[in-house]
PDB file of all heavy atoms in Angstrom:
ATOM      1  N   ILE A   1       0.878  -1.149  -0.016  1.00  0.00           N
ATOM      2  CA  ILE A   1      -0.029  -0.012   0.018  1.00  0.00           C
ATOM      3  C   ILE A   1       0.896   1.227  -0.032  1.00  0.00           C
ATOM      4  O   ILE A   1       1.810   1.295   0.806  1.00  0.00           O
ATOM      5  CB  ILE A   1      -0.979   0.035   1.161  1.00  0.00           C
ATOM      6  CG1 ILE A   1      -1.856   1.246   1.246  1.00  0.00           C
ATOM      7  CG2 ILE A   1      -0.278  -0.216   2.525  1.00  0.00           C
ATOM      8  CD1 ILE A   1      -2.990   1.254   2.252  1.00  0.00           C
ATOM      9  N   GLU A   2       0.699   2.168  -0.957  1.00  0.00           N
ATOM     10  CA  GLU A   2       1.689   3.193  -1.180  1.00  0.00           C
ATOM     11  C   GLU A   2       0.948   4.533  -1.616  1.00  0.00           C
ATOM     12  O   GLU A   2      -0.075   4.414  -2.337  1.00  0.00           O
ATOM     13  CB  GLU A   2       2.704   2.791  -2.215  1.00  0.00           C
ATOM     14  CG  GLU A   2       3.805   3.787  -2.463  1.00  0.00           C
ATOM     15  CD  GLU A   2       4.809   3.203  -3.432  1.00  0.00           C
ATOM     16  OE1 GLU A   2       4.599   3.295  -4.689  1.00  0.00           O
ATOM     17  OE2 GLU A   2       5.824   2.651  -2.998  1.00  0.00           O
ATOM     18  N   LEU A   3       1.475   5.619  -1.194  1.00  0.00           N
ATOM     19  CA  LEU A   3       0.944   6.914  -1.641  1.00  0.00           C
ATOM     20  C   LEU A   3       2.070   7.810  -1.980  1.00  0.00           C
ATOM     21  O   LEU A   3       3.118   7.873  -1.288  1.00  0.00           O
ATOM     22  CB  LEU A   3       0.058   7.531  -0.542  1.00  0.00           C
ATOM     23  CG  LEU A   3      -0.543   8.963  -0.826  1.00  0.00           C
ATOM     24  CD1 LEU A   3      -1.952   9.009  -0.336  1.00  0.00           C
ATOM     25  CD2 LEU A   3       0.324  10.049  -0.295  1.00  0.00           C
ATOM     26  N   SER A   4       1.919   8.645  -3.059  1.00  0.00           N
ATOM     27  CA  SER A   4       2.882   9.654  -3.438  1.00  0.00           C
ATOM     28  C   SER A   4       2.189  11.001  -3.584  1.00  0.00           C
ATOM     29  O   SER A   4       0.990  11.081  -3.930  1.00  0.00           O
ATOM     30  CB  SER A   4       3.542   9.280  -4.817  1.00  0.00           C
ATOM     31  OG  SER A   4       4.272   8.046  -4.670  1.00  0.00           O
ATOM     32  N   VAL A   5       2.987  12.052  -3.381  1.00  0.00           N
ATOM     33  CA  VAL A   5       2.531  13.468  -3.617  1.00  0.00           C
ATOM     34  C   VAL A   5       3.460  14.082  -4.597  1.00  0.00           C
ATOM     35  O   VAL A   5       4.648  14.154  -4.381  1.00  0.00           O
ATOM     36  CB  VAL A   5       2.447  14.244  -2.315  1.00  0.00           C
ATOM     37  CG1 VAL A   5       1.948  15.700  -2.622  1.00  0.00           C
ATOM     38  CG2 VAL A   5       1.507  13.600  -1.331  1.00  0.00           C
ATOM     39  N   ASN A   6       2.922  14.463  -5.751  1.00  0.00           N
ATOM     40  CA  ASN A   6       3.707  15.054  -6.805  1.00  0.00           C
ATOM     41  C   ASN A   6       4.896  14.150  -7.168  1.00  0.00           C
ATOM     42  O   ASN A   6       6.001  14.615  -7.509  1.00  0.00           O
ATOM     43  CB  ASN A   6       4.211  16.471  -6.427  1.00  0.00           C
ATOM     44  CG  ASN A   6       3.097  17.410  -6.069  1.00  0.00           C
ATOM     45  OD1 ASN A   6       2.081  17.365  -6.683  1.00  0.00           O
ATOM     46  ND2 ASN A   6       3.339  18.313  -5.110  1.00  0.00           N
ATOM     47  N   GLY A   7       4.618  12.852  -7.197  1.00  0.00           N
ATOM     48  CA  GLY A   7       5.610  11.858  -7.621  1.00  0.00           C
ATOM     49  C   GLY A   7       6.587  11.408  -6.546  1.00  0.00           C
ATOM     50  O   GLY A   7       7.352  10.473  -6.799  1.00  0.00           O
ATOM     51  N   ALA A   8       6.575  11.992  -5.351  1.00  0.00           N
ATOM     52  CA  ALA A   8       7.457  11.585  -4.280  1.00  0.00           C
ATOM     53  C   ALA A   8       6.693  10.684  -3.282  1.00  0.00           C
ATOM     54  O   ALA A   8       5.623  11.035  -2.799  1.00  0.00           O
ATOM     55  CB  ALA A   8       7.959  12.851  -3.587  1.00  0.00           C
ATOM     56  N   VAL A   9       7.227   9.548  -3.038  1.00  0.00           N
ATOM     57  CA  VAL A   9       6.594   8.584  -2.169  1.00  0.00           C
ATOM     58  C   VAL A   9       6.546   9.112  -0.735  1.00  0.00           C
ATOM     59  O   VAL A   9       7.574   9.522  -0.163  1.00  0.00           O
ATOM     60  CB  VAL A   9       7.315   7.223  -2.206  1.00  0.00           C
ATOM     61  CG1 VAL A   9       6.670   6.260  -1.177  1.00  0.00           C
ATOM     62  CG2 VAL A   9       7.218   6.580  -3.552  1.00  0.00           C
ATOM     63  N   LYS A  10       5.392   9.117  -0.132  1.00  0.00           N
ATOM     64  CA  LYS A  10       5.191   9.644   1.219  1.00  0.00           C
ATOM     65  C   LYS A  10       4.761   8.537   2.176  1.00  0.00           C
ATOM     66  O   LYS A  10       5.125   8.555   3.384  1.00  0.00           O
ATOM     67  CB  LYS A  10       4.130  10.753   1.220  1.00  0.00           C
ATOM     68  CG  LYS A  10       4.508  11.935   0.396  1.00  0.00           C
ATOM     69  CD  LYS A  10       5.716  12.678   0.969  1.00  0.00           C
ATOM     70  CE  LYS A  10       5.962  13.952   0.163  1.00  0.00           C
ATOM     71  NZ  LYS A  10       7.147  14.715   0.708  1.00  0.00           N
ATOM     72  N   GLN A  11       3.952   7.605   1.728  1.00  0.00           N
ATOM     73  CA  GLN A  11       3.501   6.468   2.555  1.00  0.00           C
ATOM     74  C   GLN A  11       3.827   5.135   1.854  1.00  0.00           C
ATOM     75  O   GLN A  11       3.545   5.044   0.655  1.00  0.00           O
ATOM     76  CB  GLN A  11       2.018   6.552   2.792  1.00  0.00           C
ATOM     77  CG  GLN A  11       1.538   7.623   3.735  1.00  0.00           C
ATOM     78  CD  GLN A  11       0.050   7.509   4.033  1.00  0.00           C
ATOM     79  OE1 GLN A  11      -0.770   7.906   3.165  1.00  0.00           O
ATOM     80  NE2 GLN A  11      -0.317   6.940   5.152  1.00  0.00           N
ATOM     81  N   THR A  12       4.355   4.231   2.546  1.00  0.00           N
ATOM     82  CA  THR A  12       4.550   2.871   2.018  1.00  0.00           C
ATOM     83  C   THR A  12       4.447   1.864   3.133  1.00  0.00           C
ATOM     84  O   THR A  12       4.959   2.083   4.217  1.00  0.00           O
ATOM     85  CB  THR A  12       5.904   2.719   1.274  1.00  0.00           C
ATOM     86  OG1 THR A  12       5.975   1.407   0.615  1.00  0.00           O
ATOM     87  CG2 THR A  12       7.088   2.929   2.177  1.00  0.00           C
ATOM     88  N   GLY A  13       3.728   0.781   2.925  1.00  0.00           N
ATOM     89  CA  GLY A  13       3.499  -0.204   3.934  1.00  0.00           C
ATOM     90  C   GLY A  13       3.050  -1.464   3.313  1.00  0.00           C
ATOM     91  O   GLY A  13       2.967  -1.623   2.084  1.00  0.00           O
ATOM     92  N   ASP A  14       2.548  -2.358   4.120  1.00  0.00           N
ATOM     93  CA  ASP A  14       1.957  -3.632   3.697  1.00  0.00           C
ATOM     94  C   ASP A  14       0.693  -3.878   4.421  1.00  0.00           C
ATOM     95  O   ASP A  14       0.638  -3.606   5.618  1.00  0.00           O
ATOM     96  CB  ASP A  14       3.045  -4.755   3.960  1.00  0.00           C
ATOM     97  CG  ASP A  14       2.667  -6.053   3.186  1.00  0.00           C
ATOM     98  OD1 ASP A  14       1.675  -6.697   3.541  1.00  0.00           O
ATOM     99  OD2 ASP A  14       3.382  -6.340   2.220  1.00  0.00           O
ATOM    100  N   LEU A  15      -0.303  -4.443   3.714  1.00  0.00           N
ATOM    101  CA  LEU A  15      -1.570  -4.748   4.366  1.00  0.00           C
ATOM    102  C   LEU A  15      -1.387  -5.704   5.564  1.00  0.00           C
ATOM    103  O   LEU A  15      -2.160  -5.701   6.479  1.00  0.00           O
ATOM    104  CB  LEU A  15      -2.535  -5.319   3.407  1.00  0.00           C
ATOM    105  CG  LEU A  15      -2.971  -4.392   2.220  1.00  0.00           C
ATOM    106  CD1 LEU A  15      -3.934  -5.138   1.285  1.00  0.00           C
ATOM    107  CD2 LEU A  15      -3.548  -3.090   2.690  1.00  0.00           C
ATOM    108  N   ALA A  16      -0.281  -6.517   5.524  1.00  0.00           N
ATOM    109  CA  ALA A  16       0.022  -7.430   6.656  1.00  0.00           C
ATOM    110  C   ALA A  16       0.354  -6.679   7.903  1.00  0.00           C
ATOM    111  O   ALA A  16       0.345  -7.282   8.979  1.00  0.00           O
ATOM    112  CB  ALA A  16       1.095  -8.385   6.191  1.00  0.00           C
ATOM    113  N   ASP A  17       0.657  -5.361   7.766  1.00  0.00           N
ATOM    114  CA  ASP A  17       1.020  -4.591   8.939  1.00  0.00           C
ATOM    115  C   ASP A  17      -0.203  -4.074   9.722  1.00  0.00           C
ATOM    116  O   ASP A  17      -0.003  -3.469  10.784  1.00  0.00           O
ATOM    117  CB  ASP A  17       1.841  -3.342   8.494  1.00  0.00           C
ATOM    118  CG  ASP A  17       3.178  -3.702   7.876  1.00  0.00           C
ATOM    119  OD1 ASP A  17       3.705  -4.800   8.129  1.00  0.00           O
ATOM    120  OD2 ASP A  17       3.681  -2.903   7.078  1.00  0.00           O
ATOM    121  N   MET A  18      -1.359  -4.318   9.194  1.00  0.00           N
ATOM    122  CA  MET A  18      -2.570  -3.832   9.934  1.00  0.00           C
ATOM    123  C   MET A  18      -2.636  -4.580  11.273  1.00  0.00           C
ATOM    124  O   MET A  18      -2.482  -5.789  11.330  1.00  0.00           O
ATOM    125  CB  MET A  18      -3.871  -4.100   9.063  1.00  0.00           C
ATOM    126  CG  MET A  18      -4.028  -3.190   7.929  1.00  0.00           C
ATOM    127  SD  MET A  18      -5.742  -3.143   7.253  1.00  0.00           S
ATOM    128  CE  MET A  18      -5.885  -4.746   6.583  1.00  0.00           C
ATOM    129  N   ILE A  19      -2.954  -3.789  12.319  1.00  0.00           N
ATOM    130  CA  ILE A  19      -3.138  -4.378  13.638  1.00  0.00           C
ATOM    131  C   ILE A  19      -4.293  -5.329  13.629  1.00  0.00           C
ATOM    132  O   ILE A  19      -4.229  -6.424  14.160  1.00  0.00           O
ATOM    133  CB  ILE A  19      -3.262  -3.315  14.715  1.00  0.00           C
ATOM    134  CG1 ILE A  19      -2.005  -2.417  14.755  1.00  0.00           C
ATOM    135  CG2 ILE A  19      -3.568  -3.883  16.081  1.00  0.00           C
ATOM    136  CD1 ILE A  19      -2.154  -1.129  15.577  1.00  0.00           C
ATOM    137  N   TRP A  20      -5.401  -4.876  13.024  1.00  0.00           N
ATOM    138  CA  TRP A  20      -6.600  -5.720  12.917  1.00  0.00           C
ATOM    139  C   TRP A  20      -6.780  -5.986  11.395  1.00  0.00           C
ATOM    140  O   TRP A  20      -6.944  -5.078  10.616  1.00  0.00           O
ATOM    141  CB  TRP A  20      -7.809  -4.965  13.454  1.00  0.00           C
ATOM    142  CG  TRP A  20      -7.641  -4.757  14.948  1.00  0.00           C
ATOM    143  CD1 TRP A  20      -7.095  -3.713  15.595  1.00  0.00           C
ATOM    144  CD2 TRP A  20      -8.020  -5.669  15.969  1.00  0.00           C
ATOM    145  NE1 TRP A  20      -7.072  -3.929  16.949  1.00  0.00           N
ATOM    146  CE2 TRP A  20      -7.704  -5.124  17.192  1.00  0.00           C
ATOM    147  CE3 TRP A  20      -8.723  -6.950  15.971  1.00  0.00           C
ATOM    148  CZ2 TRP A  20      -7.991  -5.730  18.434  1.00  0.00           C
ATOM    149  CZ3 TRP A  20      -8.953  -7.536  17.184  1.00  0.00           C
ATOM    150  CH2 TRP A  20      -8.581  -6.971  18.347  1.00  0.00           C
ATOM    151  N   SER A  21      -6.845  -7.309  11.063  1.00  0.00           N
ATOM    152  CA  SER A  21      -6.989  -7.735   9.709  1.00  0.00           C
ATOM    153  C   SER A  21      -8.413  -7.456   9.137  1.00  0.00           C
ATOM    154  O   SER A  21      -9.317  -7.151   9.945  1.00  0.00           O
ATOM    155  CB  SER A  21      -6.727  -9.239   9.568  1.00  0.00           C
ATOM    156  OG  SER A  21      -7.741  -9.989  10.230  1.00  0.00           O
ATOM    157  N   VAL A  22      -8.613  -7.622   7.833  1.00  0.00           N
ATOM    158  CA  VAL A  22      -9.945  -7.445   7.277  1.00  0.00           C
ATOM    159  C   VAL A  22     -11.026  -8.249   7.980  1.00  0.00           C
ATOM    160  O   VAL A  22     -12.019  -7.734   8.400  1.00  0.00           O
ATOM    161  CB  VAL A  22      -9.905  -7.720   5.765  1.00  0.00           C
ATOM    162  CG1 VAL A  22     -11.310  -7.793   5.183  1.00  0.00           C
ATOM    163  CG2 VAL A  22      -9.106  -6.632   5.071  1.00  0.00           C
ATOM    164  N   PRO A  23     -10.803  -9.613   8.177  1.00  0.00           N
ATOM    165  CA  PRO A  23     -11.859 -10.334   8.824  1.00  0.00           C
ATOM    166  C   PRO A  23     -12.115  -9.928  10.267  1.00  0.00           C
ATOM    167  O   PRO A  23     -13.240  -9.863  10.780  1.00  0.00           O
ATOM    168  CB  PRO A  23     -11.364 -11.778   8.776  1.00  0.00           C
ATOM    169  CG  PRO A  23     -10.423 -11.825   7.691  1.00  0.00           C
ATOM    170  CD  PRO A  23      -9.769 -10.486   7.651  1.00  0.00           C
ATOM    171  N   GLU A  24     -11.021  -9.500  10.941  1.00  0.00           N
ATOM    172  CA  GLU A  24     -11.141  -9.048  12.314  1.00  0.00           C
ATOM    173  C   GLU A  24     -11.912  -7.773  12.449  1.00  0.00           C
ATOM    174  O   GLU A  24     -12.733  -7.550  13.345  1.00  0.00           O
ATOM    175  CB  GLU A  24      -9.794  -8.924  13.002  1.00  0.00           C
ATOM    176  CG  GLU A  24      -9.140 -10.305  13.246  1.00  0.00           C
ATOM    177  CD  GLU A  24      -7.695 -10.178  13.739  1.00  0.00           C
ATOM    178  OE1 GLU A  24      -7.010  -9.226  13.344  1.00  0.00           O
ATOM    179  OE2 GLU A  24      -7.266 -11.083  14.499  1.00  0.00           O
ATOM    180  N   VAL A  25     -11.624  -6.823  11.506  1.00  0.00           N
ATOM    181  CA  VAL A  25     -12.340  -5.557  11.517  1.00  0.00           C
ATOM    182  C   VAL A  25     -13.878  -5.784  11.302  1.00  0.00           C
ATOM    183  O   VAL A  25     -14.698  -5.244  11.967  1.00  0.00           O
ATOM    184  CB  VAL A  25     -11.746  -4.606  10.456  1.00  0.00           C
ATOM    185  CG1 VAL A  25     -12.716  -3.419  10.171  1.00  0.00           C
ATOM    186  CG2 VAL A  25     -10.398  -4.091  10.879  1.00  0.00           C
ATOM    187  N   VAL A  26     -14.149  -6.588  10.236  1.00  0.00           N
ATOM    188  CA  VAL A  26     -15.642  -6.819   9.939  1.00  0.00           C
ATOM    189  C   VAL A  26     -16.301  -7.554  11.131  1.00  0.00           C
ATOM    190  O   VAL A  26     -17.375  -7.128  11.505  1.00  0.00           O
ATOM    191  CB  VAL A  26     -15.742  -7.667   8.671  1.00  0.00           C
ATOM    192  CG1 VAL A  26     -17.171  -8.104   8.432  1.00  0.00           C
ATOM    193  CG2 VAL A  26     -15.226  -6.912   7.429  1.00  0.00           C
ATOM    194  N   ALA A  27     -15.646  -8.502  11.719  1.00  0.00           N
ATOM    195  CA  ALA A  27     -16.189  -9.209  12.832  1.00  0.00           C
ATOM    196  C   ALA A  27     -16.411  -8.343  14.039  1.00  0.00           C
ATOM    197  O   ALA A  27     -17.513  -8.308  14.686  1.00  0.00           O
ATOM    198  CB  ALA A  27     -15.328 -10.393  13.213  1.00  0.00           C
ATOM    199  N   ASN A  28     -15.424  -7.428  14.298  1.00  0.00           N
ATOM    200  CA  ASN A  28     -15.534  -6.565  15.467  1.00  0.00           C
ATOM    201  C   ASN A  28     -16.690  -5.544  15.266  1.00  0.00           C
ATOM    202  O   ASN A  28     -17.502  -5.319  16.140  1.00  0.00           O
ATOM    203  CB  ASN A  28     -14.201  -5.856  15.721  1.00  0.00           C
ATOM    204  CG  ASN A  28     -14.310  -4.931  16.919  1.00  0.00           C
ATOM    205  OD1 ASN A  28     -14.529  -3.721  16.719  1.00  0.00           O
ATOM    206  ND2 ASN A  28     -14.100  -5.430  18.156  1.00  0.00           N
ATOM    207  N   LEU A  29     -16.702  -4.956  14.095  1.00  0.00           N
ATOM    208  CA  LEU A  29     -17.737  -3.862  13.802  1.00  0.00           C
ATOM    209  C   LEU A  29     -19.166  -4.485  13.843  1.00  0.00           C
ATOM    210  O   LEU A  29     -20.078  -3.903  14.299  1.00  0.00           O
ATOM    211  CB  LEU A  29     -17.443  -3.231  12.529  1.00  0.00           C
ATOM    212  CG  LEU A  29     -18.208  -1.972  12.190  1.00  0.00           C
ATOM    213  CD1 LEU A  29     -18.026  -0.858  13.237  1.00  0.00           C
ATOM    214  CD2 LEU A  29     -17.817  -1.452  10.773  1.00  0.00           C
ATOM    215  N   SER A  30     -19.214  -5.815  13.447  1.00  0.00           N
ATOM    216  CA  SER A  30     -20.554  -6.450  13.438  1.00  0.00           C
ATOM    217  C   SER A  30     -21.057  -6.795  14.867  1.00  0.00           C
ATOM    218  O   SER A  30     -22.235  -7.142  14.974  1.00  0.00           O
ATOM    219  CB  SER A  30     -20.442  -7.793  12.676  1.00  0.00           C
ATOM    220  OG  SER A  30     -19.861  -8.816  13.384  1.00  0.00           O
ATOM    221  N   GLN A  31     -20.230  -6.615  15.848  1.00  0.00           N
ATOM    222  CA  GLN A  31     -20.706  -6.779  17.235  1.00  0.00           C
ATOM    223  C   GLN A  31     -21.540  -5.571  17.665  1.00  0.00           C
ATOM    224  O   GLN A  31     -22.285  -5.652  18.694  1.00  0.00           O
ATOM    225  CB  GLN A  31     -19.542  -6.957  18.219  1.00  0.00           C
ATOM    226  CG  GLN A  31     -18.580  -8.028  17.847  1.00  0.00           C
ATOM    227  CD  GLN A  31     -19.260  -9.360  17.620  1.00  0.00           C
ATOM    228  OE1 GLN A  31     -19.968  -9.870  18.476  1.00  0.00           O
ATOM    229  NE2 GLN A  31     -18.952  -9.983  16.455  1.00  0.00           N
ATOM    230  N   TYR A  32     -21.460  -4.476  16.894  1.00  0.00           N
ATOM    231  CA  TYR A  32     -22.136  -3.221  17.322  1.00  0.00           C
ATOM    232  C   TYR A  32     -23.126  -2.722  16.309  1.00  0.00           C
ATOM    233  O   TYR A  32     -23.956  -1.869  16.593  1.00  0.00           O
ATOM    234  CB  TYR A  32     -21.056  -2.132  17.533  1.00  0.00           C
ATOM    235  CG  TYR A  32     -20.002  -2.506  18.600  1.00  0.00           C
ATOM    236  CD1 TYR A  32     -18.846  -3.067  18.188  1.00  0.00           C
ATOM    237  CD2 TYR A  32     -20.252  -2.270  19.889  1.00  0.00           C
ATOM    238  CE1 TYR A  32     -17.887  -3.471  19.140  1.00  0.00           C
ATOM    239  CE2 TYR A  32     -19.360  -2.633  20.875  1.00  0.00           C
ATOM    240  CZ  TYR A  32     -18.136  -3.226  20.439  1.00  0.00           C
ATOM    241  OH  TYR A  32     -17.239  -3.574  21.406  1.00  0.00           O
ATOM    242  N   TYR A  33     -23.072  -3.195  15.074  1.00  0.00           N
ATOM    243  CA  TYR A  33     -23.945  -2.782  13.984  1.00  0.00           C
ATOM    244  C   TYR A  33     -24.404  -4.007  13.214  1.00  0.00           C
ATOM    245  O   TYR A  33     -23.718  -4.994  13.111  1.00  0.00           O
ATOM    246  CB  TYR A  33     -23.217  -1.888  13.018  1.00  0.00           C
ATOM    247  CG  TYR A  33     -22.849  -0.524  13.580  1.00  0.00           C
ATOM    248  CD1 TYR A  33     -21.606  -0.345  14.177  1.00  0.00           C
ATOM    249  CD2 TYR A  33     -23.689   0.593  13.467  1.00  0.00           C
ATOM    250  CE1 TYR A  33     -21.239   0.877  14.661  1.00  0.00           C
ATOM    251  CE2 TYR A  33     -23.325   1.812  13.966  1.00  0.00           C
ATOM    252  CZ  TYR A  33     -22.119   1.993  14.562  1.00  0.00           C
ATOM    253  OH  TYR A  33     -21.735   3.164  15.109  1.00  0.00           O
ATOM    254  N   HIS A  34     -25.627  -3.904  12.676  1.00  0.00           N
ATOM    255  CA  HIS A  34     -26.097  -4.873  11.660  1.00  0.00           C
ATOM    256  C   HIS A  34     -25.544  -4.438  10.282  1.00  0.00           C
ATOM    257  O   HIS A  34     -26.111  -3.548   9.615  1.00  0.00           O
ATOM    258  CB  HIS A  34     -27.660  -4.930  11.633  1.00  0.00           C
ATOM    259  CG  HIS A  34     -28.272  -5.511  12.796  1.00  0.00           C
ATOM    260  ND1 HIS A  34     -28.389  -4.739  14.007  1.00  0.00           N
ATOM    261  CD2 HIS A  34     -28.795  -6.686  13.039  1.00  0.00           C
ATOM    262  CE1 HIS A  34     -29.013  -5.520  14.930  1.00  0.00           C
ATOM    263  NE2 HIS A  34     -29.294  -6.696  14.353  1.00  0.00           N
ATOM    264  N   LEU A  35     -24.352  -4.895   9.971  1.00  0.00           N
ATOM    265  CA  LEU A  35     -23.742  -4.534   8.723  1.00  0.00           C
ATOM    266  C   LEU A  35     -24.547  -5.077   7.539  1.00  0.00           C
ATOM    267  O   LEU A  35     -25.080  -6.157   7.634  1.00  0.00           O
ATOM    268  CB  LEU A  35     -22.309  -5.004   8.610  1.00  0.00           C
ATOM    269  CG  LEU A  35     -21.363  -4.456   9.686  1.00  0.00           C
ATOM    270  CD1 LEU A  35     -19.954  -5.105   9.529  1.00  0.00           C
ATOM    271  CD2 LEU A  35     -21.277  -2.981   9.667  1.00  0.00           C
ATOM    272  N   GLN A  36     -24.635  -4.317   6.447  1.00  0.00           N
ATOM    273  CA  GLN A  36     -25.447  -4.572   5.317  1.00  0.00           C
ATOM    274  C   GLN A  36     -24.742  -4.252   4.025  1.00  0.00           C
ATOM    275  O   GLN A  36     -23.793  -3.400   4.004  1.00  0.00           O
ATOM    276  CB  GLN A  36     -26.750  -3.764   5.429  1.00  0.00           C
ATOM    277  CG  GLN A  36     -27.626  -4.001   6.611  1.00  0.00           C
ATOM    278  CD  GLN A  36     -28.361  -5.325   6.611  1.00  0.00           C
ATOM    279  OE1 GLN A  36     -28.495  -5.934   5.532  1.00  0.00           O
ATOM    280  NE2 GLN A  36     -28.743  -5.803   7.753  1.00  0.00           N
ATOM    281  N   PRO A  37     -25.186  -4.867   2.902  1.00  0.00           N
ATOM    282  CA  PRO A  37     -24.611  -4.348   1.615  1.00  0.00           C
ATOM    283  C   PRO A  37     -24.839  -2.881   1.498  1.00  0.00           C
ATOM    284  O   PRO A  37     -25.946  -2.347   1.822  1.00  0.00           O
ATOM    285  CB  PRO A  37     -25.458  -5.136   0.597  1.00  0.00           C
ATOM    286  CG  PRO A  37     -25.821  -6.388   1.292  1.00  0.00           C
ATOM    287  CD  PRO A  37     -26.045  -5.974   2.746  1.00  0.00           C
ATOM    288  N   GLY A  38     -23.830  -2.135   1.061  1.00  0.00           N
ATOM    289  CA  GLY A  38     -23.927  -0.668   1.015  1.00  0.00           C
ATOM    290  C   GLY A  38     -23.076  -0.074   2.061  1.00  0.00           C
ATOM    291  O   GLY A  38     -22.797   1.179   2.061  1.00  0.00           O
TER     292      GLY A  38
END
């Protein structure tokens, strides 16, 4: 995952660096909301 401003790299990382993974985020948020398409 990377971002540049005017061609200069400012952010670079890896999705594996997320503290909470995609499944963990969805599961955690679903404890508080009825998540729906949209």
